[in-house]
Amino acid sequence: MMDESDLSFDLTDEEEQLQARVAWYYYFGDLTQQQIATRMRTSRVRINRLLSASRHSGIVQIRINSKLSECVSLEQEIERRYGLAKAIVVPVLADDIDVSNAVGAGAGAFLNTQFADGQTVAIGWGRTMAHTLRAINGANYRKMNLVSMQGGLSYCPSINTFQIVSEFANRLGASCHYFAAPIYASSGAIRDAFLEQETIHETCLRARKADLALAALGDMTQSLVVSYGIGRKQDIEGLRRAGAVGDVLGQFVDAYGQLVDHELNRRVVAVGLDDLRAIPNVVVAAGGKHKFKIIRAVLRGRYANMLVTDEMNARRLAYDEED
């Protein structure tokens, strides 16, 4: 993980840059030394030596203490282009590997510098959130409140969506407030009834007044919402016809971050996107080629002022590359 407080790295030190990149691939990209060597067109022996050197030089301790100059440059350009308070770019080797682990590690490292006792922190759910959780330092914030921002899934084999917020709270020693409802109600009227229930209404009010929010983003092909929350193929096709590129808190938006005209958006049980935008600090964490459109849409819609993403998406965002 990157030490955000250490800004004294030498961007001209090519050896340090190489050591840091290999360390990211190995420790957070879950690649073997041979896989890294093959992709970088070098030998496994050299990769092994670089990893060893990175440990001896102090770049790799419990965390990785060096930034990559390419990533730093992309961070600065994305912040300028989209008016962000902070962008975190993690290195990846290629767009054909799962980068959610590396993005989660970067998000966790950044959030460790943002948490403070007394905060109200609003949390979404998703695969990236599960990876982020593993990188959160244990703490004892007795006056912190962790609040869910959206209903959950009744079935999901990979993660328990209702449990994400409680695991964050346990890790941070904070109080926990659940959004005890499904992500989608069977009708708009039932959705309204859910939101009027006292416990859900109070949780929603707490989330709206959060000091800090953390949300994952879903695309139209691999997200948990699409895979397990919607179910009906005709709904997915209808969302695409309406121009949806993905979802934020279960709410589907077009390429410019505007809510699409679809009945699922009228049945979602979650904090609204205007309310999300009003939270002072909103971090979105997402990576992988399939997430590019929804990441860009969220930045265009100004729903977040902080972003954690991978190097390849960052490059496309920085230079506004189209598909």
Side-chain angles (χ1 to χ4, degrees):
M1 289 178 282
M2 294 180 294
D3 183 356
E4 290 299 316
S5 65
D6 182 7
L7 302 181
S8 62
F9 52 88
D10 180 4
L11 298 182
T12 65
D13 188 339
E14 295 182 0
E15 182 67 14
E16 179 184 338
Q17 298 293 306
L18 186 57
Q19 290 178 17
R21 183 175 290 276
V22 170
W24 265 102
Y25 297 155
Y26 185 72
Y27 290 107
F28 295 134
D30 287 336
L31 296 181
T32 66
Q33 293 182 27
Q34 185 57 59
Q35 287 173 322
I36 298 170
T38 299
R39 291 170 182 266
M40 294 185 69
R41 297 181 181 179
T42 188
S43 68
R44 188 188 65 79
V45 172
R46 187 180 184 216
I47 297 300
N48 182 272
R49 287 174 178 169
L50 285 166
L51 287 170
S52 178
S54 69
R55 291 189 293 272
H56 287 297
S57 68
I59 290 176
V60 175
Q61 299 171 349
I62 297 173
R63 56 182 178 241
I64 299 175
N65 288 327
S66 179
K67 288 187 175 184
L68 294 169
S69 57
E70 298 95 331
C71 292
V72 172
S73 177
L74 290 171
E75 290 169 356
Q76 294 171 347
E77 180 60 22
I78 292 170
E79 290 168 1
R80 184 197 67 78
R81 181 178 288 273
Y82 293 98
L84 299 181
K86 186 65 177 176
I88 304 293
V89 176
V90 301
V92 294
L93 195 56
D95 61 7
D96 59 346
I97 59 175
D98 181 9
V99 301
S100 58
N101 188 32
V103 171
F110 175 62
L111 288 168
N112 286 329
T113 70
Q114 302 300 300
F115 291 138
D117 209 1
Q119 288 176 324
T120 295
V121 180
I123 302 288
W125 50 254
R127 294 187 182 96
T128 305
M129 293 299 97
H131 290 300
T132 300
L133 179 62
R134 299 187 188 107
I136 297 296
N137 294 335
N140 190 22
Y141 296 130
R142 293 173 181 258
K143 297 180 181 179
M144 177 185 283
N145 287 291
L146 265 290
V147 187
S148 178
M149 288 194 288
Q150 61 190 119
L153 299 174
S154 61
Y155 169 74
C156 181
S158 56
I159 63 172
N160 183 332
T161 56
F162 288 100
Q163 194 174 353
I164 290 289
V165 66
S166 65
E167 291 183 349
F168 266 91
N170 289 338
R171 183 66 60 86
L172 294 167
S175 298
C176 182
H177 302 270
Y178 297 98
F179 217 110
I183 183 64
Y184 296 112
S186 55
S187 69
I190 293 176
R191 168 264 180 100
D192 293 341
F194 271 126
L195 293 176
E196 289 172 2
Q197 291 184 22
E198 184 176 358
T199 55
I200 296 177
H201 181 67
E202 289 179 357
T203 299
C204 198
L205 287 178
R206 284 182 182 273
R208 289 170 180 166
K209 295 178 181 179
D211 304 292
L212 173 68
L214 173 63
L217 308 179
D219 66 292
M220 294 300 298
T221 59
Q222 301 179 31
S223 76
L224 296 180
V225 167
V226 168
S227 299
Y228 304 106
I230 298 177
R232 298 192 306 173
K233 185 177 180 181
Q234 56 265 41
D235 284 335
I236 299 172
E237 293 173 346
L239 284 164
R240 287 179 175 143
R241 287 195 299 271
V245 298
D247 78 278
V248 191
L249 302 181
Q251 295 157 82
F252 288 87
V253 298
D254 65 19
Y256 290 90
Q258 301 301 307
L259 285 168
V260 301
D261 183 14
H262 193 278
E263 56 97 16
L264 272 175
N265 280 342
R266 294 183 281 276
R267 294 197 282 115
V268 66
V269 185
V271 171
L273 296 189
D274 286 339
D275 293 320
L276 178 67
R277 187 193 282 124
I279 295 173
N281 295 294
V282 179
V283 182
V284 291
K289 183 178 180 180
H290 57 293
K291 294 284 187 74
F292 171 71
K293 290 182 180 180
I294 183 61
I295 295 170
R296 184 178 59 181
V298 165
L299 297 185
R300 285 173 169 176
R302 305 291 180 181
Y303 296 119
N305 63 344
M306 291 178 276
L307 169 71
V308 185
T309 193
D310 63 276
E311 187 176 2
M312 293 191 176
N313 272 322
R315 188 169 291 109
R316 296 179 72 184
L317 290 167
Y319 302 108
D320 203 22
E321 295 180 16
E322 297 294 334
D323 300 325

